[in-house]
Amino acid sequence: MAAAAEPGARAWPGDGSPRPGSPACSPVLGARGRARPGSGPERTGRTTGSAAPGHSFRKVTLTKPTFCHLCSDFIWGLAGFLCDVCNFMSHEKCLKQVKTPCTSVVPSLVRVPVAHCFGPRGLYKRKFCGVCRKGLEVPAFRCEVCELHVHPDCVPFACSDCRQCHQDGHQDHDTYQHHWREGNLPSGARCEVCRKTCGSSDVLAGVRCEWCGIQAHSVCSAVLAPECSFGRLRSMVLPPTCVRLLSRNFSKMHCFRIPETAGPEPGDGEDSLDGSAATGPSRETLAALDSSKQTLKIFDGNDTMRRNQFRLVTLPRLASSQEVLEVALRAYYISEDPQDFELQALPLPPLTGDAQAPGKAGSNGTTEEGSRGSGPREPTPEAWVIRALPRAQEVLKIYPGWLKVGVAYVSIRVTPQSTARAVVLEVLPLFGRQAEDPESFQLVEVLMGSRQVQRTVLADEEPLLDWLRDIRQTSVRQVSQTRFYVTESRTVAPHISLLVGGLPPGLSPQEYRNLLHEAMAIKGAVVLDVTCFAEAERLYMLARDTAVHGRLLTALVLPDVLHLKLSPDCCPLLVFVNPKSGGLKGRDLLCSFRKLLNPHQVFELTNGGPLPGFHLFSQVPCFRVLVCGGDGTVGWVLATLEEMRHRLACPEPSVAILPLGTGNDLGRVLRWGAGYSGEDPFSVLVSVDEADAVLMDRWTILLDAQETGSAENSVVEAEPPKIVQMSNYCGIGIDAELSLDFHQAREEEPGKFTSRFHNKGVYVRVGLQKISHSRSLHKEIRLQVEQQEVELPSIEGLIFINIPSWGSGADLWGSDSDAKFEKPRMDDGLLEVVGVTGVVHMGQVQGGLRSGIRIAQGSYFRVTLLKATPVQVDGEPWVQAPGHMIISAAGPKVHMLKKAKQKPRKVGAIRDARVDTLPSPEGDPK
């Protein structure tokens, strides 16, 4: 539906004379007649036979084998067609089947604008840029939420087409369609429709849905149903329709709790845009150009001039004005008619400060087609800026800001008399809302930047033609990234939840209020419910810069889970990842799980701990938990779960483990393996979904240090009592001493402890240093079991075990039957007490040559420490002062997930290829 036809192409002379509205003394390059192809020896013509929107194909002569972006086969000789703007390459036979849009028109095809979250630069082997389609041979950026890869200087041209992971009050859909992302599929990927290979490691080809993982050829994807079912992981995904987050003042990085990287942001800095255009050579070859070539700096408006951000284009010195203009427009992915633009020269040297009008340059640099080869030519200026010619009227697309309209947009003609209110009055009947009060609607400008989507409400009397002119003056390419929506001007009641962590635990609600105004107290943190966007932003920045008791606070933006909208069969997975575990594999897993699931359900434990995740899921009636980390990380999450249990609608969620630590004893017992070794994260999630639920005992250790006297009979103040939760084992003596030495070594040089093999080597070295150590532990402690005194043999270590794995998989209790004791189980409500005689004995146990000394079995223990003694619980060591340790069962048993014996179903065609290649940070060796 359209209110007016598109205007005809305007013809204007290309003699370089001043245009209306441009400085009369500035050199100007314009187009003459119809647009013609740029120069180059390989150009042989132009075709318009493609059905793909936006492409500007030309036939090229190929001097080396190239791949077709549609069928991934070789292209030889004269059989290739290349898009001048986005570098899309195709066979002549494939040309009419091309459905992939050109980069220049992609913004107009976005259903709902959503900005990207670009992480730190990384090296991505055999990946391709989603903007210019070229290989990523240098460190590049990748979105942390979707699979978009881009060169650093292509970031400003990336479209805001990321996944919509929550509702924000702007076009919130109840059903979700496939979110297709082109290319970067594995070479063996199979099309869901024709079952033929659709992936390639040589070219950007094929598409994949970033929610369900389905893969297909771009042509075949058109026959698939548009609705997405979220694929194999649908029961584990937190549906975007059930998550609400009003994030007007917060970036996507804040919304997904992704730490912002240090250094210049994508699109900032002098070097972010300078580089060759799509038709020019690479930076490395600029210096090697022959004298017949020239390199120009091209700006696209006042904004790039102010920032000194430019694109370099290279073309022959004899290029006509039309050719220079065409190349400049292609450098900024502008596919509009060149007759609507001109190039204005900038004074030398180019501008570096605030934007200003082009300086006087007389007629220097004016290049006319008629002067080619006739007489001396004046030098072309080094820098040019693209300017849009004044327009008496324009055709503008207006989009509806509500759903189920029947049309995607309507086109209307705007003139100098057209205001925002006049446009609203004109389009309401076209959208079927003529019976409603026009005063309840407004016109909203949406700028679809790659890193942020900005919305601006236009004043009723704002002249639209002047508004568009100002946009083009700022940035010519910005017009293609700008939309206008007619929305209902209802008042949105803002509600933002800020979780502020890092507070001292154990304070009263009044004390927390004194620290952070009005708050709802949670142990160690507060959740602030703010009803003002500006105030939420102020509190967020204030909390991040505030230290309490010498410790910086943690501020997180949390969405609301609309638990009443969850389907009965939905059991979302709450994922906790320790990025410092597993030789830094946790960082890669964090990125992978954000892409496979909804990033709102994936939490980084170094950014606020487990509490934010449990708070977010507090009203979810049924959910499961996946903990990615070592035994200490698992114990941390289980302890937080115990504290939050009474606040959860699902008080007993089942917990699965992806072992990333050194010992990983609990992971071994539950069949999750000795440690993560690079398995496909998609297969890991499938295994979690198919795992069996089992019960495990949890134990509480009360540490009550007593007052003790020194050698001078002075009294030392006793430590306050504290409670520690235990899942695996508790060691007193030599094994805790070894853990403490290892922990201290890791604290001194954390960068060296990045592999499980190295960590075990350090354990061995520490053990050898203690091999002759003897402290006669049995003389320094007293043990009561079920309130009965137990005589201890001559030992150096006393260990309480809850699971049949200790010290990286050793069976400390042993498999021999004994009528005196019951067969140990992790859910029998009993702990086994075992002694070891020293480092040699521990080594023999870990080598399977011996077992420990069986001492007792029970459910209540009291240990009296006569001297300060090393103690470790689930691998976390410290030195405990003299006093009492009371070990007893801790409330209800924990529901754990044990990996099923049968192998997971073959994922084959639905295996998500987004996590096949994990990047390395910039500069890291591969």
Side-chain angles (χ1 to χ4, degrees):
M1 179 184 298
E6 297 286 340
R10 133 173 56 179
W12 41 271
D15 57 358
S17 58
R19 305 290 189 271
S22 64
C25 55
S26 297
V28 175
L29 291 183
R32 180 191 296 274
R34 294 300 302 165
R36 298 189 323 178
S39 62
E42 75 286 351
R43 184 183 303 273
T44 59
R46 184 182 298 271
T47 178
T48 59
S50 173
H55 286 295
S56 178
F57 282 112
R58 59 181 171 86
K59 195 170 185 179
V60 293
T61 302
L62 301 174
T63 58
K64 62 180 180 179
T66 309
F67 293 90
C68 175
H69 285 86
L70 186 67
C71 65
S72 303
D73 288 340
F74 278 119
I75 304 177
W76 295 86
L78 289 171
F81 286 80
L82 175 69
C83 175
D84 282 330
V85 179
C86 69
N87 300 312
F88 190 98
M89 181 68 73
S90 172
H91 288 105
E92 184 174 7
K93 64 179 181 180
C94 298
L95 206 56
K96 293 185 178 181
Q97 301 179 26
V98 174
K99 303 297 181 184
T100 304
C102 180
T103 302
S104 60
V105 300
V106 164
S108 65
L109 305 177
V110 174
R111 190 182 184 208
V112 179
V114 180
H116 292 282
C117 294
F118 293 109
R121 298 192 191 198
L123 296 172
Y124 302 96
K125 290 187 174 181
R126 304 189 77 83
K127 297 291 184 180
F128 297 88
C129 176
V131 175
C132 69
R133 313 184 70 89
K134 296 181 180 180
L136 301 179
E137 299 174 354
V138 296
F141 290 106
R142 181 181 66 178
C143 179
E144 297 285 328
V145 178
C146 69
E147 266 301 301
L148 177 68
H149 295 73
V150 290
H151 291 107
D153 42 357
C154 289
V155 170
F157 307 100
C159 180
S160 54
D161 61 346
C162 192
R163 288 192 298 165
Q164 186 182 18
C165 299
H166 59 262
Q167 296 187 347
D168 60 358
H170 302 285
Q171 291 208 317
D172 297 331
H173 295 266
D174 293 329
T175 60
Y176 268 65
Q177 297 184 358
H178 289 297
H179 189 94
W180 299 112
R181 177 69 61 199
E182 184 186 10
N184 293 320
L185 276 63
S187 56
R190 294 283 179 179
C191 176
E192 183 71 15
V193 178
C194 66
R195 307 309 303 169
K196 296 181 180 179
T197 301
C198 62
S200 172
S201 58
D202 301 305
V203 72
L204 196 70
V207 294
R208 176 195 56 253
C209 174
E210 294 189 304
W211 281 113
C212 66
I214 192 173
Q215 301 167 142
H217 295 100
S218 58
V219 176
C220 296
S221 64
V223 304
L224 295 171
E227 291 77 17
C228 179
S229 65
F230 294 95
R232 172 65 180 83
L233 305 178
R234 58 186 173 274
S235 64
M236 309 176 73
V237 174
L238 183 63
T241 56
C242 301
V243 184
R244 181 180 59 197
L245 178 59
L246 304 180
S247 56
R248 189 183 72 179
N249 291 60
F250 296 98
S251 69
K252 289 284 293 296
M253 307 294 277
H254 296 154
C255 297
F256 295 128
R257 305 167 303 278
I258 300 174
E260 296 181 88
T261 57
E265 295 288 349
D268 291 344
E270 181 176 343
D271 297 331
S272 62
L273 285 181
D274 61 351
S276 61
T279 56
S282 63
R283 291 194 186 101
E284 292 76 7
T285 61
L286 288 177
L289 293 174
D290 56 56
S291 58
S292 64
K293 300 283 187 178
Q294 61 179 339
T295 300
L296 305 178
K297 293 180 180 179
I298 304 295
F299 299 88
D300 82 324
N302 293 346
D303 186 60
T304 53
M305 290 164 58
R306 178 177 58 85
R307 299 172 180 267
N308 196 28
Q309 296 175 350
F310 52 85
R311 300 282 278 178
L312 293 179
V313 299
T314 302
L315 66 168
R317 292 188 180 276
L318 298 179
S320 67
S321 61
Q322 175 182 321
E323 292 169 335
V324 175
L325 179 59
E326 284 187 352
V327 172
L329 292 175
R330 290 198 297 268
Y332 281 94
Y333 298 94
I334 299 172
S335 60
E336 299 180 55
D337 193 338
Q339 297 186 43
D340 292 330
F341 300 92
E342 65 183 9
L343 284 176
Q344 292 182 357
L346 296 179
L348 299 177
L351 293 176
T352 57
D354 293 338
Q356 45 185 287
K360 296 182 179 182
S363 60
N364 291 341
T366 303
T367 307
E368 302 181 17
E369 290 184 72
S371 66
R372 187 177 302 183
S374 57
R377 298 171 55 88
E378 299 183 19
T380 303
E382 180 187 5
W384 297 82
V385 59
I386 305 174
R387 294 298 189 189
L389 294 171
R391 306 183 186 191
Q393 59 182 7
E394 284 197 50
V395 171
L396 192 63
K397 294 179 180 178
I398 306 296
Y399 293 78
W402 56 89
L403 304 179
K404 300 179 181 178
V405 181
V407 294
Y409 62 87
V410 296
S411 296
I412 64 170
R413 192 183 304 275
V414 294
T415 64
Q417 291 74 38
S418 300
T419 63
R421 174 53 51 188
V423 168
V424 171
L425 294 174
E426 184 175 354
V427 300
L428 282 179
L430 303 177
F431 288 137
R433 307 293 288 267
Q434 61 272 15
E436 302 187 35
D437 182 12
E439 296 298 325
S440 61
F441 293 88
Q442 60 189 3
L443 191 64
V444 179
E445 178 205 51
V446 178
L447 175 58
M448 304 185 298
S450 61
R451 299 181 62 250
Q452 189 174 7
V453 175
Q454 301 177 358
R455 293 176 170 85
T456 304
V457 178
L458 273 64
D460 287 347
E461 302 305 319
E462 185 71 49
L464 274 187
L465 205 60
D466 293 344
W467 188 271
L468 293 173
R469 182 198 61 205
D470 293 343
I471 294 177
R472 288 192 172 93
Q473 192 76 6
T474 301
S475 172
V476 173
R477 65 179 173 86
Q478 185 174 314
V479 176
S480 65
Q481 298 177 323
T482 302
R483 283 185 182 179
F484 292 91
Y485 285 84
V486 171
T487 65
E488 298 182 61
S489 51
R490 60 181 184 274
T491 302
V492 178
H495 175 266
I496 305 98
S497 294
L498 294 180
L499 187 141
V500 181
L503 297 171
L507 300 184
S508 65
Q510 184 59 44
E511 290 172 313
Y512 280 121
R513 291 189 186 98
N514 294 336
L515 284 175
L516 289 171
H517 308 291
E518 184 177 359
M520 179 181 68
I522 301 177
K523 184 176 181 181
V526 296
V527 175
L528 306 177
D529 291 324
V530 189
T531 57
C532 174
F533 287 118
E535 181 66 9
E537 184 180 21
R538 188 187 70 83
L539 290 175
Y540 179 86
M541 302 307 297
L542 178 64
R544 293 183 61 182
D545 297 333
T546 302
V548 175
H549 296 177
R551 180 182 178 186
L552 282 175
L553 300 180
T554 300
L556 299 176
V557 181
L558 296 181
D560 295 323
V561 176
L562 308 178
H563 60 280
L564 297 179
K565 296 179 65 175
L566 291 170
S567 61
D569 61 340
C570 181
C571 185
L573 184 69
L574 175 59
V575 181
F576 295 109
V577 181
N578 187 346
K580 296 183 179 180
S581 298
L584 303 181
K585 290 187 177 68
R587 181 178 55 190
D588 297 329
L589 286 169
L590 190 67
C591 184
S592 299
F593 288 139
R594 283 189 183 125
K595 292 175 170 61
L596 291 167
L597 302 170
N598 190 324
H600 285 299
Q601 64 190 105
V602 181
F603 287 80
E604 181 179 348
L605 287 172
T606 56
N607 190 17
L611 183 61
F614 286 120
H615 176 77
L616 178 64
F617 274 60
S618 59
Q619 299 303 315
V620 177
C622 179
F623 68 93
R624 289 169 289 184
V625 179
L626 172 62
V627 183
C628 306
D631 289 337
T633 301
V634 176
W636 183 17
V637 173
L638 293 179
T640 306
L641 173 60
E642 185 65 29
E643 296 173 3
M644 290 285 296
R645 190 183 301 276
H646 66 286
R647 298 176 181 268
L648 301 178
C650 176
E652 297 179 350
S654 299
V655 181
I657 299 172
L658 183 57
L660 299 181
T662 302
N664 302 315
D665 290 291
L666 186 55
R668 296 170 191 264
V669 172
L670 297 175
R671 296 202 196 106
W672 295 108
Y676 178 71
S677 55
E679 294 86 358
D680 178 21
F682 180 84
S683 299
V684 171
L685 294 178
V686 173
S687 297
V688 171
D689 193 38
E690 297 177 344
D692 303 318
V694 296
L695 295 176
M696 185 183 71
D697 296 324
R698 285 274 290 167
W699 300 85
T700 296
I701 304 176
L702 173 62
L703 304 171
D704 187 10
Q706 303 297 313
E707 295 182 354
T708 59
S710 66
E712 292 80 10
N713 294 326
S714 62
V715 176
V716 179
E717 184 179 353
E719 296 180 2
K722 65 178 181 179
I723 295 177
V724 178
Q725 301 290 332
M726 185 192 85
S727 302
N728 301 351
Y729 38 70
C730 170
I732 304 173
I734 185 63
D735 76 314
E737 191 170 351
L738 297 183
S739 295
L740 185 61
D741 290 347
F742 172 83
H743 178 77
Q744 292 173 345
R746 182 169 57 181
E747 289 293 317
E748 292 174 359
E749 297 180 293
K752 292 184 177 181
F753 291 78
T754 57
S755 72
R756 196 175 297 114
F757 180 79
H758 176 269
N759 294 353
K760 291 184 177 180
V762 175
Y763 262 117
V764 172
R765 187 178 72 246
V766 171
L768 293 176
Q769 294 172 353
K770 303 285 185 179
I771 197 167
S772 60
H773 175 78
S774 175
R775 64 184 300 161
S776 300
L777 181 69
H778 59 286
K779 298 179 181 180
E780 299 177 357
I781 64 174
R782 299 289 182 267
L783 173 65
Q784 289 183 3
V785 180
E786 312 292 358
Q787 299 184 349
Q788 298 293 323
E789 193 79 24
V790 175
E791 183 178 354
L792 295 176
S794 178
I795 56 175
E796 294 296 324
L798 186 68
I799 304 169
F800 300 82
I801 54 177
N802 184 46
I803 60 175
S805 180
W806 167 86
S808 301
D811 187 1
L812 190 59
W813 182 261
S815 57
D816 296 339
S817 59
D818 190 339
K820 185 179 178 181
F821 302 106
E822 298 182 17
K823 184 178 179 180
R825 296 199 325 270
M826 60 189 297
D827 62 344
D828 58 2
L830 300 174
L831 281 180
E832 289 70 47
V833 186
V834 184
V836 292
T837 60
V839 174
V840 175
H841 187 186
M842 293 170 60
Q844 292 172 333
V845 171
Q846 291 183 334
L849 303 177
R850 290 179 61 185
S851 58
I853 302 173
R854 296 180 181 179
I855 296 177
Q857 192 177 47
S859 59
Y860 181 85
F861 307 88
R862 183 185 183 93
V863 180
T864 302
L865 303 179
L866 304 179
K867 296 174 62 177
T869 307
V871 174
Q872 66 99 357
V873 174
D874 293 343
E876 301 299 321
W878 71 92
V879 176
Q880 180 62 28
H884 300 293
M885 295 177 56
I886 299 175
I887 306 176
S888 59
K893 302 179 188 295
V894 180
H895 292 251
M896 304 298 293
L897 289 174
K898 190 174 186 178
K899 189 175 182 179
K901 286 186 177 180
Q902 68 271 21
K903 294 182 179 180
R905 292 188 294 270
K906 185 178 180 181
V907 295
I910 63 171
R911 179 170 180 245
D912 197 302
R914 291 172 289 189
V915 292
D916 282 354
T917 303
L918 297 176
S920 63
E922 182 176 358
D924 285 2
K926 291 300 283 183

